[in-house]
């Protein structure tokens, strides 16, 4: 990028920040509504063009605010992904909380935006799924890292596997407990579209299988299309609650003073998605609304990572951002006027994983990966390619009746079962879902959006691979990833402490 363009951006963003900071002491501090679904991939919202998924509430936030094209999790696994949001740090810095089904670090020296805003006078709370799965009660905390719980109000769910928590009613109860014009910070942790799905619920509620768009790494068959229809139904369930929450804020005159963030903790619970760092595992939806502070209707190409949320919230609230946070505030991007690429330095996202489902491999072992995504390429470094990437077969599974009998890092469901039972007929797709992987993978996004053609061994792409590897390694060293310094044993010790599901007490 030209130096003059870089200076122009810095000058413009600096002026925008100064303009927003000067009146901050004279106006109400913004509220924060952080909405996070459980296992939803980009581009599965109707405003992204997925017409078989109807998401009017998410679409409203995007239309009245900004729609992001390149939001990536720090890791595609529930607990550490949520931990990266709360801490503003890359997942691998969270010690025990760097993987599922462990504990929140007991020293309590990881600063969280929820705690900091609570200390600054905000009313803090959550409904649905907070940080987890894991045990925080031995850490010395009084509440989950996401805040005090508001799950008391229940409903009759519309299908099997859907939560009975009335998210919107609990949000209303939370608001009713505020003192005067006290600002709030609320975590709406929807438990959908996490499996289990009720088989056929999508079709029974009007989905047409011919309308379903099947990703290229799945067989295009009715069994898979029906599974995707059930997944879409659960997305639509939580979106209705989001819509009720927006309406409630509007009725109370609070909507335009609320930063509304809508995203997902990782990709969909299907093969080659959740718990992988392919695009359908790490790339998630994101829309942000904030009254007239975010110009409506913008589509933003800047790369956003989950650690960016915490410093954004703190800066908007006028609260100091701890130095330990590795994310960068999104305010300069949000308060710019244009669409497209705003900050030229936001041209890549880094992510990875240590372990998803404990018990998938002997002694609690994981499958460490690190990756980097740019507009043009996805590069993946598999640190232990001799091991099984999605778990051993046979091996522990979730749910326990998963007929595949293994590959536990992929949640059981009809698509996984179909791929396994028809692995001879769809051998290429089944191998991509279950077999071992090479140490390095490289995918050209424009020609290969489903990450199927590995270019890492192609001499024509050697310079691209080397450049991305250097950029990835530089980020990992700068942000103190233990594996970047040969200290992977620190993760292995944690895995051995929590070798199977439920071993966290």
């Amino acid at each position: 990028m030209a130096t003059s363009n870089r200076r122009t951006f810095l000058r413009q963003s600096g002026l925008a920040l100064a303009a927003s900071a000067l009146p901050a002491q004279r106006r109400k501090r913004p509220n924060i509504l952080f909405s996070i679904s459980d296992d939803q991939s980009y581009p599965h919202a109707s405003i992204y063009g997925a017409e078989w998924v109807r998401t009017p509430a998410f679409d409203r936030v995007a239309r009245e605010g900004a729609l992001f094209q390149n939001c990536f999790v720090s890791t595609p696994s529930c607990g550490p992904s949520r931990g990266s949001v709360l801490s503003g740090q890359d997942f691998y810095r969270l010690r025990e909380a760097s993987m599922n089904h462990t504990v929140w670090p007991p020293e309590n020296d990881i600063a969280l935006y929820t705690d900091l805003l609570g200390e600054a006078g905000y009313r803090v709370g959550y409904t649905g799924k907070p940080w987890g799965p894991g045990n925080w009660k031995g850490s010395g905390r009084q509440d989950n890292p996401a805040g005090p719980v508001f799950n008391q109000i229940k409903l009759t769910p519309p299908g099997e596997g859907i939560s009975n928590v009335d998210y919107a009613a609990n949000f209303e109860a939370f608001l009713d407990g505020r003192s005067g014009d006290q600002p709030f910070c609320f975590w709406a942790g929807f438990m959908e579209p996490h499996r289990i799905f009720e088989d056929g619920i999508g079709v029974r509620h009007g989905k047409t299988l011919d309308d379903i768009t099947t990703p290229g790494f799945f067989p295009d068959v009715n069994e898979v299309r029906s599974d995707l229809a059930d997944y879409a139904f659960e997305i639509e369930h939580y979106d209705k609650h989001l819509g009720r929450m927006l309406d409630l804020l509007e009725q109370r005159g609070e909507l335009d003073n609320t930063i509304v963030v809508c995203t997902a903790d990782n990709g969909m619970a299907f093969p080659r998605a959740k718990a992988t760092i392919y695009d359908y595992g790490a790339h998630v939806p994101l829309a942000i609304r904030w009254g007239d502070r975010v110009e409506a209707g913008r589509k933003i190409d800047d790369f956003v990572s989950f650690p960016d949320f915490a410093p954004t919230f703190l800066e908007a609230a006028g609260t100091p951002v701890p130095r330990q946070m590795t994310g960068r505030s999104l305010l300069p991007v949000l308060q710019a006027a244009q669409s497209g690429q705003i900050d030229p330095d936001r041209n890549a996202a880094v992510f990875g994983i240590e372990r998803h489902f404990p018990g998938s491999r002997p002694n609690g072992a994981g499958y460490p990966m690190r990756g980097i995504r740019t507009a043009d390429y996805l590069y993946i470094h598999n640190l232990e390619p001799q091991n099984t990437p999605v778990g051993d077969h046979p091996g522990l599974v979730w749910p326990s009746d998963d007929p595949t009998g293994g590959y536990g890092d992929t949640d059981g469901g009809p698509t996984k079962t179909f791929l396994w039972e028809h692995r001879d007929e769809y051998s290429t797709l089944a191998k991509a879902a279950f077999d071992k992987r090479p140490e390095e993978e490289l995918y050209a996004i424009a020609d290969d959006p489903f990450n199927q053609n590995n270019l890492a061994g192609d001499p024509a792409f050697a310079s691209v691979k080397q450049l991305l590897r250097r950029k990835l390694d530089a980020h990992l060293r700068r942000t103190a990833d233990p594996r970047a310094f040969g200290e992977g044993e620190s993760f292995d010790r944690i895995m051995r402490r929590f070798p199977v599901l439920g071993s966290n007490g």
Side-chain angles (χ1 to χ4, degrees), residues 155-187:
L155 51 69
T156 300
E160 180 186 359
I162 294 176
S163 172
N164 69 347
V165 173
D166 190 331
Y167 307 111
N170 282 292
F171 178 49
E172 184 172 15
F174 165 83
L175 291 179
D176 288 342
R178 285 198 299 165
S179 301
D181 61 353
Q182 180 185 20
F184 69 79
C185 170
F186 193 76
W187 173 291

Side-chain angles (χ1 to χ4, degrees), residues 48-97:
Y48 284 122
E51 297 179 355
W52 50 279
V53 187
R54 295 184 293 271
T55 53
F58 180 92
D59 298 355
R60 177 187 179 183
V61 173
R63 286 195 313 271
E64 297 176 358
L67 180 67
F68 287 78
Q69 310 287 0
N70 290 304
C71 177
F72 290 82
V73 299
S74 180
T75 182
S77 183
C78 300
S81 177
R82 293 160 186 264
S84 71
V85 171
L86 291 159
S87 67
Q89 299 193 53
D90 295 82
F91 83 98
Y92 43 72
R93 295 168 56 92
L94 302 182
R95 304 196 302 277
E96 290 92 342

Side-chain angles (χ1 to χ4, degrees), residues 24 27 29-30 122 259 290 311-319 329 331:
R27 67 182 179 227
R29 288 180 292 175
Y122 273 69
I259 301 173
W290 186 15
T312 301
F313 300 153
L314 293 173
E315 184 175 346
T319 301
S329 171
L331 289 190

Side-chain angles (χ1 to χ4, degrees), residues 14 17 26 47-48 55 92 102 133 170 186 198 202 204 206 282 287 342 347 357 397 433 445 467:
L17 281 175
R26 300 194 296 270
I47 199 167
Y48 284 122
T55 53
Y92 43 72
T102 57
N170 282 292
F186 193 76
E198 182 178 318
R204 288 196 298 276
I342 312 301
N347 55 23
F357 183 71
V397 293
I445 301 303
L467 176 64

Side-chain angles (χ1 to χ4, degrees), residues 227-258:
D227 201 12
L228 289 167
D230 298 344
Y231 158 76
F233 178 82
E234 291 215 355
I235 293 174
E236 293 169 3
H237 171 77
Y238 93 73
D239 189 80
K240 291 176 183 176
H241 282 266
L242 175 60
R244 289 170 57 194
M245 292 178 176
L246 297 175
D247 290 344
L248 179 63
L249 289 175
E250 192 166 34
Q251 292 162 11
R252 298 194 178 198
E254 294 279 10
L255 181 58
D256 285 345
N257 192 45
T258 301

Side-chain angles (χ1 to χ4, degrees), residues 354 361 365-369 381-389 436-439 483 488 492 495:
E354 282 296 322
R361 303 167 196 83
Y367 188 81
M369 296 177 274
H381 184 198
N382 297 307
L383 281 75
E384 296 179 0
Q386 72 278 10
N387 295 331
T388 53
K436 291 184 178 181
R437 303 168 187 158
E439 180 178 354
R483 289 203 181 270
D492 297 336
M495 293 176 195

